[in-house]
Amino acid sequence: MKITVIGSGYVGLVSGICFAKIGHEVVCVDKNSAKIAQLNSGEIPIYEPNLKELLAEAKEANKISFTTDFTSALKDAKAVFIAVGTPQGEDGSADLSYVLAAAQEIAEIADSPKLIITKSTVPAATGAKIQKLIAELNKQDLLFVASNPEFLREGSAIEDFMNPDRIVIGADNPKSFATLEEIYAYFPKEKLVKTDIVTAELIKYAANSFLAAKISFINEMADLCEKTGGNIRQLSRAIGLDSRIGDKFLKPGPGFGGSCFPKDILAILNIAKEYDVELSLIDSVVKSNKKRQMNMVKKISALLGNNLSGKKIGLLGLAFKGNTDDIRYSPAIFIAKELANNGADIFAHDFEAIKNARSELADFKNIHFISNLYEAADNRDILIIATEWPQYGEIDPSKISTKKIIDLRNILDGEKFRALGFEYFSIGEK
Ligand code: NAD
């Protein structure tokens, strides 16, 4: 099938390349001409494992192309995915302007039947807003709307897309469902979860809110372990063995970040407010996570005698999690800013996120970016591990003279470091 994907970011690009992999003819459109030029020359504008190789394969098979031109991109397409950003608006609600601009463009240009499918995470009733826009242009017999929220995770995006737990498709008529089934025919039929459009839109927010709550829960248990002398690694393993709970998302850390959870839980709260529904549990997750990040700064500061002025701090990790270059709402960035604002000198390392961090932190003259891990880590007043890049779990203690380490991801073997004379601090254990 000829498919157009609008927006070539983490979701649009991975989806487009994976649709090509499963045999569709894909055109990716983005407003950002620099991005499109890069993609046309075979480069990937983001860091995502194996994506470059998969792009080369799709290009070789002539299954994918990139353009900034909507008219040519939409020509003969049967399905158009909207995968543009839905960032946090000023009041916390999802900013729908990019989604509606893309929908408007499709509706104005389209002259043959198409199914418009929102892959972006959008609030309940966005489908209805797009339908209204189509009706205003009198194209309701040509254009139909569906919802297909995306659940891929940065860092394992291809694996997640190609082996999904489920594929949610929300539509309001048999023809739209048939088109969606054709698009996803490569996957086992039982993976498809068919819903109405509003439910599909809500499922994504419900899933992210639940996962965010799980992280905040284990972080609060870590606090309790710390004060009572318990051990969060053991606690987490034991509760995770209960199949009703499951072992995922039970690792304590500096609080959740990233481009999805923080904005999506605020967005669902705004949806609830609009419909006069109280979501007090999710409300408390927002508060808990905010406190969490600040508590990490306090913890680090306390280890430095509550005086950060002139302190030299090694910071391992800037991305919001390992295996990505994404720093949006990254707790590591929050911590770096707070420490720098209080007079510390930060020596920051990351495997892929330095470029993004450099531009985000350009105003901070006391944050230095170091591409060599050991150079960033060595000879500091304290070393912080802020992102769970697997390589940080394997750092060689013999190459670090910094004696104080705070491991906000619990990825080091604390006993080993202590035995070698390090003062090792972690989360939720003595
Ligand atoms: P992104 O910021 O990486 O990419 C968005 C892209 O859309 C950009 O390249 C931008 O130039 C382009 N764009 C914006 N307006 C456009 C327009 N009118 N026409 C053409 N291109 C346009 O965003 P992302 O992280 O890929 O997220 C996209 C959506 O998917 C969001 O709603 C997000 O919540 C959701 N989502 C993200 C993830 C994730 O892990 N990043 C996972 C699941 C769902």
Side-chain angles (χ1 to χ4, degrees):
M1 188 188 299
K2 178 166 175 199
I3 294 176
T4 307
V5 181
I6 301 183
S8 300
Y10 290 89
V11 166
L13 193 54
V14 171
S15 307
I17 293 174
C18 290
F19 281 140
K21 164 104 186 144
I22 62 173
H24 297 299
E25 269 171 56
V26 180
V27 183
C28 293
V29 203
D30 203 289
K31 289 269 185 208
N32 183 331
S33 51
K35 223 176 221 188
I36 293 300
Q38 233 180 325
L39 287 162
N40 273 328
S41 69
E43 290 303 313
I44 299 277
I46 54 170
Y47 173 76
E48 184 60 44
N50 304 323
L51 196 57
K52 194 172 173 182
E53 294 74 12
L54 215 56
L55 170 64
E57 253 178 57
K59 279 192 160 188
E60 180 72 27
N62 251 330
K63 288 286 187 195
I64 199 160
S65 62
F66 299 92
T67 180
T68 54
D69 177 39
F70 272 73
T71 309
S72 64
L74 291 170
K75 197 171 174 325
D76 303 328
K78 199 168 157 192
V80 187
F81 283 88
I82 298 182
V84 300
T86 45
Q88 192 175 305
E90 285 199 350
D91 60 354
S93 64
D95 176 355
L96 275 182
S97 58
Y98 302 96
V99 168
L100 296 178
Q104 180 80 30
E105 203 128 8
I106 303 164
E108 279 171 9
I109 292 169
D111 54 7
S112 63
K114 295 183 200 316
L115 183 62
I116 302 175
I117 307 154
T118 49
K119 207 170 232 325
S120 301
T121 303
V122 293
T126 300
K129 282 190 180 140
I130 298 176
Q131 274 162 340
K132 186 165 166 262
L133 197 148
I134 291 167
E136 277 164 13
L137 291 164
N138 213 8
K139 291 201 177 165
Q140 61 273 37
D141 295 333
L142 213 55
L143 301 175
F144 297 87
V145 175
S147 166
N148 169 223
E150 183 51 58
F151 298 96
L152 63 78
R153 295 160 300 170
E154 290 170 21
S156 54
I158 296 170
E159 172 65 18
D160 291 345
F161 193 96
M162 296 305 291
N163 297 294
D165 291 332
R166 75 308 205 187
I167 298 166
V168 174
I169 50 174
D172 59 3
N173 69 77
K175 214 172 155 207
S176 298
F177 276 120
T179 304
L180 287 158
E181 282 169 13
E182 193 184 333
I183 294 169
Y184 286 110
Y186 170 89
F187 299 95
K189 245 194 157 100
E190 54 280 10
K191 294 273 181 189
L192 293 183
V193 179
K194 292 187 194 177
T195 70
D196 56 72
I197 297 174
V198 172
T199 306
E201 292 166 340
L202 283 174
I203 286 169
K204 175 69 191 177
Y205 285 111
N208 277 0
S209 305
F210 190 85
L211 294 171
K214 215 173 166 190
I215 296 173
S216 288
F217 175 84
I218 205 67
N219 283 339
E220 292 190 355
M221 288 303 113
D223 284 345
L224 194 57
C225 280
E226 255 169 58
K227 293 284 182 201
T228 55
N231 181 298
I232 194 66
R233 292 191 217 210
Q234 293 168 5
L235 182 147
S236 183
R237 176 163 182 273
I239 65 169
L241 286 169
D242 185 328
S243 60
R244 293 167 304 174
I245 296 174
D247 61 357
K248 306 264 168 49
F249 281 75
L250 283 183
K251 270 200 84 184
F256 57 79
S259 66
C260 291
F261 289 175
K263 82 168 171 66
D264 290 351
I265 55 173
L266 286 182
I268 196 176
L269 286 174
N270 266 278
I271 298 165
K273 201 163 131 201
E274 196 183 326
Y275 290 86
D276 203 18
V277 177
E278 197 184 330
L279 299 182
S280 53
L281 177 63
I282 300 175
D283 203 25
S284 65
V285 172
V286 174
K287 291 187 185 118
S288 172
N289 197 55
K290 213 177 200 171
K291 237 192 288 167
R292 179 96 197 143
Q293 301 196 356
M294 202 54 203
N295 283 347
M296 295 300 109
V297 176
K298 288 185 186 157
K299 211 173 152 115
I300 296 160
S301 179
L303 291 173
L304 294 170
N306 289 317
N307 176 13
L308 291 167
S309 179
K311 293 288 174 0
K312 294 194 177 349
I313 298 180
L315 178 65
L316 297 188
L318 291 159
F320 83 93
K321 64 172 186 176
N323 280 322
T324 183
D325 61 348
D326 200 342
I327 58 157
R328 290 178 280 186
Y329 297 97
S330 167
I333 297 286
F334 175 85
I335 291 168
K337 284 182 180 172
E338 286 294 323
L339 297 175
N341 275 334
N342 284 288
D345 270 314
I346 314 292
F347 299 85
H349 171 269
D350 194 282
F351 291 99
E352 295 293 338
I354 286 185
K355 189 169 159 236
N356 287 337
R358 211 186 272 284
S359 99
E360 168 73 19
L361 301 170
D363 291 342
F364 291 83
K365 301 298 166 225
N366 49 344
I367 301 183
H368 317 280
F369 299 97
I370 318 269
S371 57
N372 182 294
L373 185 169
Y374 290 103
E375 209 180 298
D378 193 35
N379 200 20
R380 309 295 171 212
D381 292 302
I382 196 167
L383 175 63
I384 306 167
I385 300 181
T387 303
E388 74 277 37
W389 278 100
Q391 297 93 314
Y392 292 152
E394 275 143 35
I395 47 178
D396 179 353
S398 72
K399 291 188 179 168
I400 304 170
S401 61
T402 305
K403 281 290 168 240
K404 214 177 257 180
I405 300 178
I406 179 158
D407 178 2
L408 303 181
R409 298 290 182 170
N410 287 8
I411 57 172
L412 291 181
D413 177 349
E415 286 315 307
K416 179 175 125 187
F417 276 80
R418 281 194 189 113
L420 290 166
F422 287 87
E423 280 185 84
Y424 174 79
F425 304 92
S426 56
I427 300 288
E429 43 191 17
K430 275 183 278 171

